[in-house]
Every structure is written in C-alpha cells, then in structure tokens.
Coordinates of all heavy atoms in Angstrom, one line a residue:
M1 N 118.4 94.6 77.1 CA 118.6 95.1 75.7 C 118.3 96.6 75.6 O 117.3 97.0 76.2 CB 117.8 94.3 74.8 CG 118.2 94.5 73.3 SD 117.3 93.3 72.3 CE 116.8 94.4 71.0
N2 N 119.2 97.3 75.0 CA 118.9 98.7 74.8 C 117.8 98.9 73.7 O 118.0 98.6 72.6 CB 120.3 99.4 74.4 CG 120.1 100.9 74.1 OD1 119.0 101.4 74.2 ND2 121.2 101.5 73.9
P3 N 116.7 99.5 74.1 CA 115.6 99.6 73.2 C 115.9 100.6 72.0 O 115.3 100.6 71.0 CB 114.4 100.1 74.0 CG 115.0 100.7 75.2 CD 116.3 100.0 75.5
K4 N 116.9 101.5 72.3 CA 117.2 102.5 71.2 C 118.2 101.9 70.2 O 118.3 102.5 69.1 CB 117.8 103.7 71.9 CG 116.8 104.6 72.6 CD 117.4 105.9 73.0 CE 116.3 106.8 73.6 NZ 116.8 108.0 74.2
K5 N 118.8 100.8 70.5 CA 119.7 100.2 69.6 C 119.0 99.6 68.4 O 118.0 98.8 68.6 CB 120.6 99.1 70.3 CG 121.6 98.5 69.4 CD 122.4 97.5 70.2 CE 123.4 96.7 69.3 NZ 122.8 95.8 68.4
K6 N 119.3 99.9 67.2 CA 118.7 99.4 66.0 C 119.0 97.9 65.8 O 120.2 97.5 66.0 CB 119.0 100.2 64.8 CG 118.4 101.5 64.7 CD 118.6 102.2 63.4 CE 117.9 103.5 63.4 NZ 118.3 104.4 62.3
K7 N 118.1 97.1 65.4 CA 118.3 95.7 65.2 C 119.1 95.5 63.9 O 118.9 96.2 62.9 CB 117.0 94.9 65.0 CG 116.3 94.8 66.4 CD 115.0 94.0 66.2 CE 114.3 93.9 67.5 NZ 113.0 93.2 67.4
G8 N 119.9 94.4 63.9 CA 120.6 94.0 62.7 C 119.6 93.2 61.8 O 118.6 92.8 62.3
W9 N 120.0 93.0 60.6 CA 119.0 92.3 59.7 C 118.7 90.9 60.1 O 117.7 90.4 59.8 CB 119.5 92.3 58.2 CG 120.8 91.5 57.9 CD1 122.1 92.0 58.1 CD2 120.8 90.2 57.5 NE1 122.9 90.9 57.7 CE2 122.2 89.8 57.4 CE3 119.9 89.2 57.3 CZ2 122.7 88.5 57.0 CZ3 120.3 87.9 56.9 CH2 121.7 87.6 56.8
K10 N 119.7 90.2 60.8 CA 119.4 88.9 61.3 C 118.4 88.8 62.4 O 117.8 87.7 62.7 CB 120.7 88.2 61.7 CG 121.7 87.9 60.6 CD 122.9 87.2 61.1 CE 123.9 86.9 59.9 NZ 125.2 86.5 60.4
E11 N 118.2 89.9 63.1 CA 117.3 89.9 64.2 C 115.8 90.3 63.8 O 114.9 90.2 64.6 CB 117.8 91.0 65.3 CG 119.1 90.6 65.8 CD 119.7 91.8 66.6 OE1 120.2 92.7 65.9 OE2 119.7 91.8 67.8
I12 N 115.7 90.8 62.6 CA 114.4 91.3 62.1 C 113.6 90.1 61.6 O 114.1 89.3 60.8 CB 114.6 92.3 61.0 CG1 115.3 93.5 61.5 CG2 113.2 92.7 60.4 CD1 115.7 94.6 60.5
P13 N 112.4 89.9 62.1 CA 111.6 88.7 61.6 C 111.3 88.8 60.1 O 111.2 89.9 59.5 CB 110.3 88.8 62.4 CG 110.3 90.1 63.0 CD 111.6 90.7 63.0
M14 N 111.2 87.6 59.4 CA 110.9 87.6 58.0 C 109.5 88.2 57.8 O 108.6 88.0 58.5 CB 110.9 86.2 57.5 CG 112.2 85.8 57.0 SD 112.1 84.3 56.0 CE 112.2 83.0 57.3
A15 N 109.4 89.0 56.7 CA 108.1 89.6 56.3 C 107.5 88.7 55.3 O 108.1 87.8 54.7 CB 108.4 91.0 55.8
G16 N 106.2 89.1 55.0 CA 105.5 88.4 53.9 C 106.0 88.8 52.6 O 106.5 89.9 52.4
V17 N 106.1 87.8 51.7 CA 106.6 88.1 50.4 C 105.5 87.6 49.3 O 104.9 86.6 49.5 CB 107.9 87.3 50.1 CG1 108.3 87.4 48.6 CG2 109.0 87.8 51.0
C18 N 105.3 88.5 48.4 CA 104.3 88.1 47.3 C 105.1 87.5 46.2 O 106.0 88.1 45.6 CB 103.6 89.4 46.8 SG 102.6 89.1 45.4
W19 N 104.8 86.2 45.9 CA 105.6 85.4 44.9 C 105.1 85.7 43.5 O 105.7 85.1 42.6 CB 105.6 84.0 45.3 CG 106.3 83.7 46.6 CD1 105.7 83.3 47.8 CD2 107.7 83.8 46.9 NE1 106.6 83.2 48.8 CE2 107.9 83.5 48.3 CE3 108.8 84.1 46.1 CZ2 109.1 83.5 48.9 CZ3 110.1 84.2 46.8 CH2 110.2 83.8 48.1
V20 N 104.1 86.4 43.4 CA 103.6 86.7 42.0 C 104.3 87.9 41.4 O 104.3 88.9 42.1 CB 102.0 86.9 42.0 CG1 101.5 87.1 40.6 CG2 101.3 85.8 42.7
P21 N 104.9 87.8 40.3 CA 105.7 89.0 39.8 C 104.7 90.1 39.4 O 103.5 89.9 39.1 CB 106.3 88.4 38.5 CG 105.6 87.2 38.1 CD 105.0 86.6 39.4
S22 N 105.2 91.3 39.6 CA 104.3 92.5 39.4 C 103.8 92.6 38.0 O 102.9 93.3 37.7 CB 105.0 93.8 39.8 OG 106.1 94.0 39.0
T23 N 104.5 91.8 37.0 CA 104.0 91.9 35.6 C 102.6 91.2 35.5 O 101.9 91.4 34.6 CB 105.0 91.2 34.7 OG1 105.4 90.0 35.3 CG2 106.2 92.1 34.5
S24 N 102.4 90.2 36.5 CA 101.1 89.6 36.4 C 100.2 90.0 37.6 O 99.1 89.4 37.8 CB 101.2 88.0 36.4 OG 102.0 87.7 37.5
Y25 N 100.6 91.0 38.3 CA 99.8 91.5 39.5 C 99.9 93.0 39.4 O 100.8 93.6 39.8 CB 100.5 90.9 40.8 CG 99.7 91.3 42.0 CD1 98.6 90.7 42.4 CD2 100.3 92.3 42.9 CE1 97.9 91.0 43.6 CE2 99.6 92.6 44.0 CZ 98.4 92.0 44.4 OH 97.8 92.3 45.5
L26 N 98.9 93.6 38.8 CA 98.9 95.0 38.7 C 98.7 95.7 40.0 O 97.9 95.4 40.9 CB 97.7 95.5 37.8 CG 97.7 94.8 36.4 CD1 96.5 95.3 35.6 CD2 99.0 95.0 35.7
T27 N 99.6 96.7 40.2 CA 99.7 97.4 41.5 C 99.0 98.8 41.5 O 99.0 99.5 42.5 CB 101.1 97.6 42.0 OG1 101.9 98.1 40.9 CG2 101.7 96.2 42.3
G28 N 98.6 99.2 40.3 CA 98.0 100.5 40.1 C 96.7 100.8 40.9 O 96.4 102.0 41.1
D29 N 96.0 99.8 41.2 CA 94.7 100.0 41.9 C 94.9 100.3 43.4 O 93.9 100.4 44.1 CB 93.7 98.9 41.6 CG 94.2 97.5 42.1 OD1 95.4 97.5 42.6 OD2 93.4 96.5 42.1
W30 N 96.1 100.4 43.9 CA 96.4 100.8 45.3 C 96.2 102.3 45.4 O 96.1 102.7 46.6 CB 97.8 100.4 45.7 CG 98.1 99.0 45.7 CD1 97.3 97.9 45.3 CD2 99.4 98.4 46.0 NE1 98.0 96.8 45.4 CE2 99.3 97.0 45.8 CE3 100.6 99.0 46.4 CZ2 100.4 96.2 46.1 CZ3 101.7 98.1 46.6 CH2 101.6 96.7 46.5
K31 N 96.3 103.0 44.4 CA 96.5 104.5 44.5 C 95.2 105.2 44.9 O 94.1 104.9 44.5 CB 97.2 105.1 43.3 CG 96.4 105.0 42.0 CD 97.3 105.7 41.0 CE 96.8 105.4 39.6 NZ 96.8 103.9 39.2
T32 N 95.4 106.3 45.6 CA 94.4 107.2 46.0 C 94.5 108.4 45.1 O 93.5 109.0 44.7 CB 94.5 107.7 47.4 OG1 94.5 106.5 48.2 CG2 93.3 108.5 47.9
Y33 N 95.7 108.8 44.8 CA 96.0 110.0 43.9 C 96.7 109.5 42.6 O 97.4 108.5 42.6 CB 96.9 111.0 44.6 CG 96.3 111.7 45.7 CD1 96.2 111.2 47.0 CD2 95.6 113.0 45.5 CE1 95.6 111.9 48.0 CE2 95.0 113.7 46.5 CZ 95.0 113.1 47.8 OH 94.4 113.8 48.7
R34 N 96.5 110.2 41.5 CA 97.2 109.8 40.3 C 97.9 111.1 39.7 O 97.4 112.2 39.9 CB 96.2 109.3 39.2 CG 95.3 110.3 38.7 CD 94.3 109.7 37.6 NE 93.6 110.8 36.9 CZ 92.7 111.6 37.4 NH1 92.3 111.4 38.7 NH2 92.1 112.5 36.7
P35 N 99.0 110.9 39.1 CA 99.7 112.0 38.5 C 99.1 112.5 37.2 O 98.8 111.6 36.4 CB 101.2 111.5 38.3 CG 101.0 110.0 38.2 CD 99.8 109.6 38.9
V36 N 99.0 113.8 37.1 CA 98.5 114.3 35.8 C 99.6 115.2 35.2 O 100.1 116.0 35.9 CB 97.2 115.1 36.1 CG1 96.7 115.8 34.8 CG2 96.1 114.2 36.7
W37 N 99.9 114.9 33.9 CA 101.0 115.5 33.2 C 100.6 116.7 32.4 O 99.5 116.7 31.8 CB 101.6 114.5 32.3 CG 102.8 114.9 31.5 CD1 104.0 115.3 32.0 CD2 102.9 114.9 30.1 NE1 104.8 115.6 30.9 CE2 104.2 115.3 29.7 CE3 102.0 114.6 29.1 CZ2 104.6 115.5 28.4 CZ3 102.4 114.7 27.8 CH2 103.7 115.1 27.4
D38 N 101.3 117.8 32.5 CA 101.1 119.0 31.7 C 102.1 119.1 30.6 O 103.3 119.4 30.9 CB 101.2 120.3 32.7 CG 100.8 121.6 32.0 OD1 101.0 121.6 30.7 OD2 100.3 122.5 32.6
S39 N 101.7 118.8 29.4 CA 102.7 118.7 28.3 C 103.3 120.1 27.9 O 104.4 120.2 27.4 CB 102.0 118.1 27.1 OG 101.0 119.0 26.6
E40 N 102.5 121.2 28.2 CA 103.0 122.5 28.0 C 104.2 122.9 28.9 O 105.2 123.5 28.4 CB 101.9 123.6 28.1 CG 100.7 123.4 27.2 CD 101.0 123.7 25.8 OE1 101.7 124.7 25.6 OE2 100.6 122.9 24.9
K41 N 104.1 122.6 30.1 CA 105.1 122.9 31.1 C 106.3 122.0 31.0 O 107.4 122.4 31.3 CB 104.6 122.9 32.5 CG 103.7 124.0 33.0 CD 103.4 123.8 34.5 CE 102.4 124.8 35.0 NZ 102.0 124.5 36.4
C42 N 106.1 120.8 30.6 CA 107.2 119.7 30.6 C 108.3 120.1 29.7 O 108.0 120.4 28.5 CB 106.5 118.4 30.3 SG 107.7 117.1 30.2
T43 N 109.5 119.9 30.1 CA 110.7 120.2 29.3 C 111.3 118.9 28.8 O 112.4 118.9 28.2 CB 111.8 120.9 30.1 OG1 112.1 120.1 31.2 CG2 111.3 122.3 30.6
R44 N 110.7 117.7 29.1 CA 111.2 116.4 28.7 C 112.6 116.1 29.3 O 113.4 115.5 28.6 CB 111.2 116.2 27.2 CG 109.9 115.8 26.6 CD 108.8 116.9 26.8 NE 107.6 116.6 26.0 CZ 106.6 117.5 25.9 NH1 106.5 118.5 26.7 NH2 105.6 117.2 25.2
C45 N 112.8 116.5 30.5 CA 114.1 116.3 31.2 C 114.2 114.8 31.6 O 115.3 114.3 32.0 CB 114.3 117.2 32.4 SG 113.2 116.8 33.7
V46 N 113.1 114.1 31.6 CA 113.0 112.7 32.0 C 113.3 112.3 33.5 O 113.5 111.2 33.8 CB 113.6 111.6 31.0 CG1 113.1 111.8 29.6 CG2 115.1 111.6 31.1
L47 N 113.4 113.4 34.3 CA 113.7 113.1 35.7 C 112.6 112.3 36.4 O 112.9 111.4 37.2 CB 113.9 114.4 36.5 CG 115.2 115.1 36.5 CD1 115.2 116.4 37.3 CD2 116.3 114.2 37.1
C48 N 111.4 112.5 36.0 CA 110.3 111.7 36.6 C 110.4 110.3 36.2 O 110.2 109.4 37.1 CB 108.9 112.3 36.1 SG 108.8 112.4 34.3
H49 N 110.9 110.0 35.0 CA 111.1 108.6 34.6 C 112.2 107.9 35.5 O 112.1 106.8 35.9 CB 111.5 108.6 33.1 CG 112.3 107.3 32.7 ND1 111.6 106.1 32.5 CD2 113.6 107.1 32.4 CE1 112.5 105.2 32.1 NE2 113.7 105.8 32.1
L50 N 113.3 108.7 35.8 CA 114.4 108.2 36.5 C 114.0 108.0 38.0 O 114.4 107.0 38.7 CB 115.6 109.1 36.5 CG 116.2 109.3 35.1 CD1 117.3 110.3 35.1 CD2 116.8 107.9 34.6
F51 N 113.1 108.9 38.5 CA 112.8 108.8 40.0 C 111.6 107.8 40.3 O 111.5 107.4 41.4 CB 112.4 110.2 40.5 CG 113.6 110.9 40.9 CD1 114.1 112.0 40.1 CD2 114.3 110.7 42.1 CE1 115.3 112.7 40.5 CE2 115.4 111.4 42.5 CZ 115.9 112.4 41.7
C52 N 110.8 107.5 39.3 CA 109.6 106.7 39.6 C 110.0 105.3 40.1 O 110.7 104.6 39.4 CB 108.7 106.5 38.4 SG 107.3 105.4 38.7
P53 N 109.7 104.9 41.3 CA 110.1 103.7 41.9 C 109.4 102.5 41.2 O 109.8 101.3 41.4 CB 109.7 103.7 43.3 CG 108.7 104.8 43.4 CD 108.9 105.7 42.3
D54 N 108.4 102.7 40.4 CA 107.7 101.6 39.8 C 107.9 101.5 38.3 O 107.2 100.7 37.7 CB 106.2 101.8 40.1 CG 105.9 101.5 41.6 OD1 106.1 100.3 42.0 OD2 105.6 102.4 42.3
G55 N 108.8 102.3 37.8 CA 109.0 102.3 36.3 C 107.8 102.6 35.5 O 107.6 102.0 34.5
A56 N 106.9 103.4 36.1 CA 105.6 103.6 35.5 C 105.6 104.8 34.5 O 104.5 105.1 33.9 CB 104.6 103.8 36.6
I57 N 106.7 105.5 34.3 CA 106.8 106.6 33.4 C 107.8 106.4 32.3 O 109.0 106.0 32.6 CB 107.1 107.9 34.2 CG1 106.3 108.1 35.4 CG2 107.0 109.1 33.2 CD1 106.7 109.3 36.3
T58 N 107.4 106.5 31.1 CA 108.4 106.4 30.0 C 108.2 107.6 29.1 O 107.2 108.3 29.1 CB 108.1 105.1 29.2 OG1 106.7 105.0 28.9 CG2 108.5 103.8 30.0
W59 N 109.3 107.8 28.3 CA 109.2 108.8 27.3 C 109.0 108.2 25.9 O 109.8 107.3 25.6 CB 110.5 109.6 27.3 CG 110.6 110.6 26.2 CD1 109.8 111.7 26.0 CD2 111.6 110.7 25.1 NE1 110.2 112.4 24.9 CE2 111.3 111.8 24.3 CE3 112.7 109.8 24.7 CZ2 112.0 112.1 23.2 CZ3 113.4 110.2 23.6 CH2 113.1 111.3 22.8
K60 N 108.0 108.6 25.2 CA 107.7 108.1 23.9 C 108.3 109.0 22.8 O 107.9 110.1 22.6 CB 106.2 108.0 23.7 CG 105.8 107.2 22.4 CD 104.3 107.0 22.4 CE 103.9 106.2 21.2 NZ 102.5 106.2 21.0
A61 N 109.4 108.5 22.2 CA 110.2 109.4 21.3 C 109.3 109.8 20.1 O 109.4 111.0 19.6 CB 111.4 108.6 20.8
Q62 N 108.5 108.9 19.6 CA 107.8 109.2 18.3 C 106.9 110.5 18.5 O 106.7 111.3 17.6 CB 106.9 108.0 18.0 CG 107.6 106.8 17.5 CD 107.9 105.9 18.7 OE1 107.9 106.3 19.9 NE2 108.2 104.6 18.4
T63 N 106.3 110.6 19.7 CA 105.4 111.7 19.9 C 105.9 112.8 20.9 O 105.3 113.7 21.2 CB 104.0 111.2 20.5 OG1 104.3 110.4 21.7 CG2 103.3 110.3 19.4
N64 N 107.1 112.5 21.5 CA 107.8 113.3 22.5 C 106.9 113.5 23.7 O 106.7 114.7 24.2 CB 108.2 114.7 21.8 CG 109.1 115.5 22.8 OD1 109.8 114.9 23.6 ND2 109.1 116.8 22.6
E65 N 106.3 112.4 24.2 CA 105.4 112.5 25.3 C 105.9 111.7 26.5 O 106.5 110.6 26.2 CB 104.0 111.9 24.9 CG 103.1 112.7 24.0 CD 101.9 112.0 23.7 OE1 102.0 110.9 23.1 OE2 100.8 112.4 24.1
M66 N 105.6 112.1 27.7 CA 105.8 111.3 28.8 C 104.5 110.5 29.0 O 103.4 111.0 29.1 CB 106.1 112.1 30.1 CG 107.2 113.1 30.0 SD 108.8 112.4 29.4 CE 109.2 111.2 30.7
I67 N 104.7 109.1 29.1 CA 103.6 108.2 29.2 C 103.5 107.7 30.6 O 104.5 107.1 31.1 CB 103.7 107.1 28.2 CG1 103.9 107.6 26.8 CG2 102.5 106.1 28.3 CD1 102.7 108.3 26.2
F68 N 102.4 107.8 31.3 CA 102.2 107.3 32.6 C 101.4 106.0 32.5 O 100.3 106.0 32.0 CB 101.5 108.3 33.5 CG 102.3 109.5 33.8 CD1 102.6 110.5 32.8 CD2 102.8 109.7 35.1 CE1 103.3 111.6 33.1 CE2 103.6 110.8 35.3 CZ 103.9 111.8 34.3
N69 N 102.0 104.9 33.1 CA 101.3 103.6 33.1 C 100.5 103.5 34.4 O 101.1 103.1 35.4 CB 102.3 102.5 32.9 CG 101.5 101.2 32.7 OD1 100.4 101.0 33.1 ND2 102.2 100.2 32.0
Y70 N 99.2 103.8 34.3 CA 98.4 103.8 35.6 C 98.1 102.4 36.1 O 97.6 102.2 37.2 CB 97.1 104.5 35.3 CG 97.3 106.0 35.1 CD1 97.1 106.6 33.9 CD2 97.8 106.8 36.1 CE1 97.3 107.9 33.6 CE2 98.1 108.2 35.9 CZ 97.8 108.7 34.6 OH 98.0 110.1 34.4
D71 N 98.5 101.3 35.3 CA 98.3 100.0 35.8 C 99.4 99.7 36.9 O 99.2 98.8 37.7 CB 98.5 99.0 34.7 CG 97.3 98.8 33.8 OD1 96.2 99.2 34.2 OD2 97.4 98.3 32.7
Y72 N 100.5 100.4 36.9 CA 101.6 100.2 37.8 C 101.9 101.4 38.7 O 102.5 101.2 39.8 CB 102.8 99.7 37.1 CG 102.7 98.4 36.4 CD1 102.5 98.3 35.1 CD2 102.6 97.2 37.2 CE1 102.3 97.1 34.4 CE2 102.4 96.0 36.6 CZ 102.2 96.0 35.2 OH 102.0 94.7 34.6
C73 N 101.5 102.6 38.3 CA 101.7 103.7 39.2 C 100.9 103.5 40.5 O 99.7 103.2 40.5 CB 101.1 105.0 38.5 SG 100.9 106.4 39.6
K74 N 101.6 103.7 41.7 CA 101.0 103.6 43.0 C 100.6 104.9 43.6 O 100.1 105.0 44.7 CB 102.0 102.9 43.9 CG 102.3 101.5 43.6 CD 102.9 100.8 44.8 CE 103.6 99.4 44.4 NZ 104.9 99.6 43.9
G75 N 100.8 106.0 42.8 CA 100.3 107.3 43.3 C 101.2 107.9 44.5 O 100.6 108.6 45.3
C76 N 102.4 107.5 44.5 CA 103.3 108.0 45.6 C 103.6 109.4 45.6 O 103.9 110.0 46.6 CB 104.6 107.2 45.6 SG 105.7 107.5 44.2
G77 N 103.6 110.0 44.4 CA 103.8 111.5 44.3 C 105.3 111.9 44.2 O 105.6 113.1 44.1
I78 N 106.1 110.9 44.0 CA 107.6 111.3 43.9 C 107.8 112.0 42.6 O 108.6 113.0 42.6 CB 108.4 110.0 44.0 CG1 108.4 109.4 45.4 CG2 109.9 110.2 43.5 CD1 109.1 108.0 45.5
C79 N 107.1 111.6 41.5 CA 107.3 112.3 40.3 C 106.9 113.8 40.4 O 107.6 114.7 39.9 CB 106.6 111.6 39.1 SG 104.8 111.4 39.5
E80 N 105.8 114.0 41.1 CA 105.4 115.4 41.3 C 106.4 116.2 42.1 O 106.8 117.3 41.8 CB 104.1 115.5 42.0 CG 103.6 116.9 42.2 CD 102.4 117.0 43.3 OE1 102.5 116.3 44.3 OE2 101.5 117.7 43.0
A81 N 107.0 115.6 43.1 CA 107.9 116.3 44.0 C 109.2 116.5 43.3 O 109.9 117.5 43.6 CB 108.2 115.4 45.2
E82 N 109.6 115.7 42.4 CA 110.9 115.8 41.7 C 110.9 116.6 40.4 O 111.9 117.1 39.9 CB 111.5 114.4 41.4 CG 111.8 113.6 42.6 CD 112.9 114.2 43.5 OE1 113.7 115.1 43.0 OE2 112.9 113.9 44.7
C83 N 109.7 116.8 39.8 CA 109.6 117.6 38.6 C 110.1 119.0 38.8 O 109.5 119.7 39.7 CB 108.2 117.6 38.0 SG 108.1 118.6 36.5
P84 N 111.1 119.5 38.1 CA 111.7 120.8 38.4 C 110.8 122.0 37.9 O 111.0 123.1 38.3 CB 113.0 120.8 37.7 CG 112.9 119.8 36.7 CD 111.9 118.8 37.1
V85 N 109.8 121.7 37.1 CA 109.0 122.8 36.5 C 107.5 122.6 36.8 O 106.6 123.2 36.2 CB 109.2 122.9 35.0 CG1 110.6 123.3 34.6 CG2 108.8 121.6 34.3
D86 N 107.2 121.8 37.8 CA 105.8 121.6 38.3 C 104.8 121.2 37.1 O 103.7 121.7 37.0 CB 105.2 122.9 39.0 CG 105.9 123.2 40.3 OD1 106.4 122.2 40.9 OD2 106.1 124.4 40.6
A87 N 105.4 120.3 36.3 CA 104.5 119.8 35.2 C 103.7 118.6 35.5 O 102.9 118.1 34.7 CB 105.4 119.5 34.0
I88 N 103.8 118.1 36.8 CA 103.0 117.0 37.3 C 102.2 117.4 38.5 O 102.8 118.0 39.4 CB 103.9 115.8 37.6 CG1 104.7 115.3 36.4 CG2 103.0 114.6 38.1 CD1 105.7 114.3 36.7
S89 N 100.9 117.2 38.5 CA 100.2 117.4 39.7 C 99.4 116.2 40.1 O 98.9 115.4 39.2 CB 99.2 118.6 39.5 OG 98.5 118.5 38.3
M90 N 99.3 115.9 41.4 CA 98.5 114.8 41.9 C 97.1 115.1 42.1 O 96.7 116.1 42.7 CB 99.2 114.3 43.2 CG 100.6 113.9 43.1 SD 101.0 112.6 41.9 CE 100.3 111.2 42.7
K91 N 96.2 114.3 41.5 CA 94.8 114.5 41.6 C 94.1 113.3 42.2 O 94.6 112.2 42.0 CB 94.2 114.7 40.2 CG 94.7 115.9 39.4 CD 93.7 117.1 39.6 CE 94.0 118.2 38.6 NZ 94.6 119.3 38.9
L92 N 93.1 113.5 43.0 CA 92.4 112.4 43.6 C 91.8 111.5 42.5 O 91.3 112.1 41.5 CB 91.2 113.0 44.5 CG 91.4 113.0 46.0 CD1 90.2 113.5 46.6 CD2 91.7 111.6 46.6
E93 N 91.8 110.2 42.7 CA 91.2 109.3 41.7 C 89.7 109.7 41.6 O 89.1 110.0 42.6 CB 91.3 107.9 42.2 CG 92.7 107.3 42.0 CD 92.9 106.9 40.5 OE1 92.9 107.8 39.6 OE2 93.0 105.7 40.2
G94 N 89.3 109.8 40.4 CA 87.9 110.1 40.2 C 87.6 111.6 40.0 O 86.6 112.0 39.5
E95 N 88.7 112.4 40.3 CA 88.6 113.8 40.1 C 88.8 114.1 38.6 O 89.7 113.5 38.1 CB 89.7 114.5 41.0 CG 89.3 115.8 41.6 CD 90.4 116.4 42.4 OE1 91.5 116.6 41.9 OE2 90.2 116.6 43.6
P96 N 88.1 115.1 38.0 CA 88.3 115.4 36.6 C 89.7 116.1 36.4 O 90.2 116.7 37.2 CB 87.2 116.2 36.2 CG 86.6 116.7 37.4 CD 87.0 115.8 38.6
Ligands
LIG1 S1 110.3 115.7 35.5 FE1 108.8 117.2 34.8 S2 109.8 118.3 33.2 FE2 110.9 116.5 33.5 S3 110.1 115.0 32.0 FE3 109.0 114.7 33.9 S4 107.2 116.0 33.7 FE4 108.6 116.7 32.2
LIG2 S1 103.1 108.8 41.4 FE1 104.8 107.5 42.0 S2 104.4 105.5 41.1 FE2 103.1 107.0 40.1 S3 104.2 107.7 38.3 FE3 104.7 109.1 39.9 S4 106.5 108.4 40.9 FE4 105.7 106.7 39.6

C-alpha cells in the first residue's frame, strides 16, 4: 500500500463520539485563552459571530453589544484572527 495515498472515509476507523448534546455539556472550560472585546474599536460588522465555530458570539440589538458566551467559547482565537479592526484580543485565562 502506498503510504502517501490518503485513506477514503470507509478505511478510517470510527472515532469516539460524545452522545451528550453540547447544550447539556459545557465546552467552555477547555480553553486556555479567552477573547476580550473592545467596544470602542468594534464596528459591529458581526464577522466574529459568523466565523465562531461554536456559536459563542451574538449581537445584542438592544445594547448594540457583541456578547461572548464563555460557557461555550473554546478559546480557538478564530474571532480574533478574523476581526478586521483588531477589536478582539486573546488573553490567558486568569489574566486581568
Ligand atoms: S469582527 Fe470585530 S469589528 Fe466585527 S463585530 Fe466582531 S469584534 Fe466587532
Ligand atoms: S475564541 Fe473561538 S470559540 Fe471563542 S468566541 Fe472566538 S471564535 Fe468562538
């Protein structure tokens, strides 16, 4: 067998699956870094909301704020990388 040839999906062994829905299994405590939002720099373009793989960012119309749900944020940093105006910075958990 050619070791460089990629396996098809039928050849890949089954992985473990968590049967508990993420609504009853908070995933936010996995993170090492947390996103910190700068309301002054933010233009409310909502790109961070669209890019967050965990649906952990929402826009609150009443207050015009981006809300980060740290119960589900995994600290991946995608929101920081995608924000066009650097309004999000990743800080170590426990850092002020
Ligand atoms: S991507 Fe940046 S500028 Fe856009 S809403 Fe999010 S924090 Fe604000
Ligand atoms: S760090 Fe990752 S999981 Fe957390 S809010 Fe940003 S994009 Fe979502």
